[in-house]
Amino acid sequence: KTTCWTELDIQNKGIKNFSPHLWELRHLTALYLNNNKISRLPPEICQLQNLVHLDLSNNKLRSLPVELGDMLKLHDLLLTNNSIRILPYELGRLFQLTKLELEGNPLTPELLQKSREVNGTQKLLQLLLDTLEAPASPPDRPWISIREKTGKHMSFKVMCYNILSDSLAKGTKY
């Protein structure tokens, strides 16, 4: 039988490490890991693609994995009172993020000030996104000619796709 619960609360337990089985709980929408002794967040966190709320406040985090920027459903990311010195630019891809709490971290005064402004989360995410390196150009695609004769008329089919996406297109470049 599968479980239906969507939240996992592991706060105030003094944990330092994670069980690899945690990343199998892909149905989670909220994960509370605050008030522990976590010093490293593994890149496997990105396997929790349905997370909307992630609370890592009051831990010992020194950095964040760039894979955190792949958690596109995230709305709330609480990181207060850690030891985070830099934010990965990939966080700029979190377009649904509405709450990013950073107080109590040794970040640059510029980042902390920007996060305190009105619409600070969006401004900070835009700054990170603008600083993120553009991805490599997609590989060349071969042209395939298709010709079909249907009676007196010749027809052809065209298939195209846009290589830009909201998560990769930056306002300063496009």
Side-chain angles (χ1 to χ4, degrees):
K1 187 175 179 180
T2 59
T3 58
C4 296
W5 46 271
T6 59
E7 297 186 5
L8 182 59
D9 185 343
I10 314 176
Q11 58 183 335
N12 298 308
K13 303 292 182 202
I15 65 167
K16 296 179 183 179
N17 299 306
F18 301 99
S19 163
H21 298 292
L22 179 60
W23 318 128
E24 296 171 10
L25 304 176
R26 293 186 176 94
H27 58 280
L28 290 179
T29 59
L31 181 57
Y32 300 91
L33 296 167
N34 49 309
N35 299 307
N36 282 295
K37 296 178 182 177
I38 302 164
S39 61
R40 182 182 169 276
L41 190 61
E44 291 82 9
I45 185 83
C46 73
Q47 294 176 23
L48 303 178
Q49 286 294 310
N50 290 310
L51 272 188
V52 174
H53 181 89
L54 178 58
D55 190 349
L56 291 160
S57 299
N58 300 305
N59 276 290
K60 297 181 178 187
L61 291 172
R62 293 184 300 270
S63 63
L64 298 170
V66 297
E67 291 82 1
L68 206 55
D70 296 333
M71 301 180 72
L72 301 179
K73 292 184 181 178
L74 211 52
H75 286 219
D76 304 321
L77 180 56
L78 312 180
L79 300 167
T80 55
N81 299 318
N82 278 285
S83 299
I84 301 167
R85 294 187 180 280
I86 58 169
L87 296 175
Y89 299 136
E90 289 78 5
L91 290 184
R93 296 191 307 232
L94 299 177
F95 293 106
Q96 294 193 43
L97 199 66
T98 55
K99 188 176 189 180
L100 176 60
E101 293 184 358
L102 298 169
E103 292 297 323
N105 285 290
L107 292 163
T108 64
E110 175 194 13
L111 290 179
L112 287 172
Q113 180 58 39
K114 192 164 287 282
S115 72
R116 292 183 197 116
E117 294 175 8
V118 175
N119 296 322
T121 295
Q122 284 70 34
K123 290 177 182 178
L124 188 55
L125 293 177
Q126 188 62 52
L127 175 69
L128 293 171
L129 182 63
D130 288 344
T131 312
L132 180 63
E133 264 186 50
S137 298
D140 287 336
R141 295 172 188 92
W143 285 91
I144 301 172
S145 299
I146 301 175
R147 294 182 185 198
E148 295 178 14
K149 261 193 172 180
T150 56
K152 298 178 185 176
H153 305 284
M154 185 173 254
S155 66
F156 62 93
K157 297 176 185 175
V158 177
M159 184 161 133
C160 70
Y161 51 94
N162 189 347
I163 62 167
L164 296 178
S165 69
D166 287 344
S167 63
L168 298 175
K170 303 177 193 176
T172 57
K173 293 194 178 205
Y174 302 101

